[in-house]
Amino acid sequence: MEWVVNIEKIRKNFCLHTQGNVTIPVLDEVNLTLAPGEAVVLVGPSGAGKSTLLKLIYGNYRMETGRVWVRHGERSVEMGGLSPMEVIDVRNKTIGYVSQFLRVIPRVSALDVVMEPMLGRGVPADLAGQRAKTLLERLRIPERLWDLSPTTFSGGEQQRINIARGFAVPYPVMLLDEPTASLDPDNTQTVCDLMEEARQSGTAFLGIFHDEGVRQQVATRSLPMAPGSQMLRPFVPQERHIC
């Protein structure tokens, strides 16, 4: 099977240094193969390690054991073995990530926040602006807010800016951490529509959605997770080129 992310037996623990070095097992030999055009939803209670898994794939965390392979252009790279600059390159070109929280520089406008990933890829400013405005309109951000910093926005407005930025450029892989948690039904449907459009173009999604209706609409398959346990998906070895 063609894949864009291939996870091999990763294990992740957290050590609470301020509480007597207590170790909490979060992920235990998790295996996952993600193919182009899939929308895989992680299902499980809080503390099951869903967000941790996304951060391991994105390179925010390092695992105790195992490997996270990502198809990056014509190569396959192992996230745990990359330098910081190589991780940034993977994030710029291959893996998009919409987290639960928007982190932006104060005084940078909402329009500039959404345009930034496009400008970073060399998209002309006028085309980047048109794409950004289209996304902001689809996500119902009033035009009067476009030139203001999102730091002044409500939680739901900030999340919509976050989503617009995440969908501004095409990524082979998109990681979504509860993107619709603070959205109204109309904007939730817009996110589902954006996902389907990207998926039809080949983007693979791995996401967390606590809304059962959203899960049923966007998922091509679901994967159950439990605290400290293995994901119920066998690992299938894949031929790969190691850079």
Side-chain angles (χ1 to χ4, degrees), residues 109-111 132-133 136-148 153 157 160-161:
S109 73
L111 189 63
K133 290 175 182 178
L136 291 172
E137 288 174 352
R138 290 188 67 178
L139 288 160
R140 299 168 182 82
I141 298 294
E143 187 173 352
R144 59 183 172 79
L145 299 181
W146 294 358
D147 292 326
L148 302 179
F153 294 1
E157 289 168 339
R160 281 178 277 159
I161 299 298

Side-chain angles (χ1 to χ4, degrees), residues 1-227:
M1 180 179 72
E2 183 183 1
W3 56 270
V4 287
V5 174
N6 203 7
I7 295 173
E8 303 176 359
K9 299 182 178 180
I10 61 173
R11 178 179 288 119
K12 176 64 179 176
N13 301 320
F14 287 111
C15 182
L16 306 182
H17 298 290
T18 61
Q19 300 185 40
N21 294 326
V22 173
T23 298
I24 299 177
V26 181
L27 301 174
D28 182 17
E29 294 199 352
V30 168
N31 300 285
L32 169 65
T33 301
L34 184 63
E38 282 197 294
V40 179
V41 173
L42 303 176
V43 180
S46 297
K50 301 185 297 297
S51 294
T52 297
L53 180 60
L54 298 187
K55 291 175 181 178
L56 282 166
I57 297 170
Y58 200 57
N60 283 353
Y61 292 160
R62 289 189 178 273
M63 67 288 292
E64 272 66 45
T65 61
R67 295 179 175 181
V68 175
W69 294 96
V70 173
R71 190 80 71 188
H72 181 49
E74 299 300 318
R75 304 173 296 157
S76 296
V77 298
E78 202 283 298
M79 294 298 289
L82 299 182
S83 69
M85 292 303 297
E86 289 171 325
V87 170
I88 291 173
D89 189 57
V90 172
R91 293 175 179 177
N92 287 338
K93 299 175 182 177
T94 300
I95 303 179
Y97 183 33
V98 177
S99 69
Q100 300 177 48
F101 308 103
L102 176 67
R103 297 177 178 86
V104 296
I105 300 173
R107 296 180 296 280
V108 174
S109 73
L111 189 63
D112 286 338
V113 169
V114 179
M115 289 175 60
E116 191 274 334
M118 292 180 278
L119 297 176
R121 290 195 181 188
V123 176
D126 58 339
L127 296 180
Q130 291 173 15
R131 169 67 173 166
K133 290 175 182 178
T134 297
L135 287 166
L136 291 172
E137 288 174 352
R138 290 188 67 178
L139 288 160
R140 299 168 182 82
I141 298 294
E143 187 173 352
R144 59 183 172 79
L145 299 181
W146 294 358
D147 292 326
L148 302 179
S149 170
T151 56
T152 65
F153 294 1
S154 70
E157 289 168 339
Q158 288 187 4
Q159 186 62 355
R160 281 178 277 159
I161 299 298
N162 208 12
I163 292 164
R165 176 184 170 87
F167 282 89
V169 296
Y171 291 101
V173 181
M174 285 282 288
L175 308 176
L176 306 179
D177 192 347
E178 300 186 49
T180 62
S182 58
L183 302 188
D184 58 81
D186 287 341
N187 282 305
T188 294
Q189 184 58 51
T190 298
V191 174
C192 295
D193 294 341
L194 289 169
M195 287 184 62
E196 180 61 18
E197 292 165 15
R199 194 180 67 79
Q200 292 297 329
S201 297
T203 295
F205 287 91
L206 184 63
I208 304 167
F209 298 87
H210 288 306
D211 186 308
E212 177 62 27
V214 173
R215 287 203 299 264
Q216 291 181 357
Q217 182 172 348
V218 303
T220 59
R221 62 185 169 104
S222 299
L223 292 177
M225 297 182 67

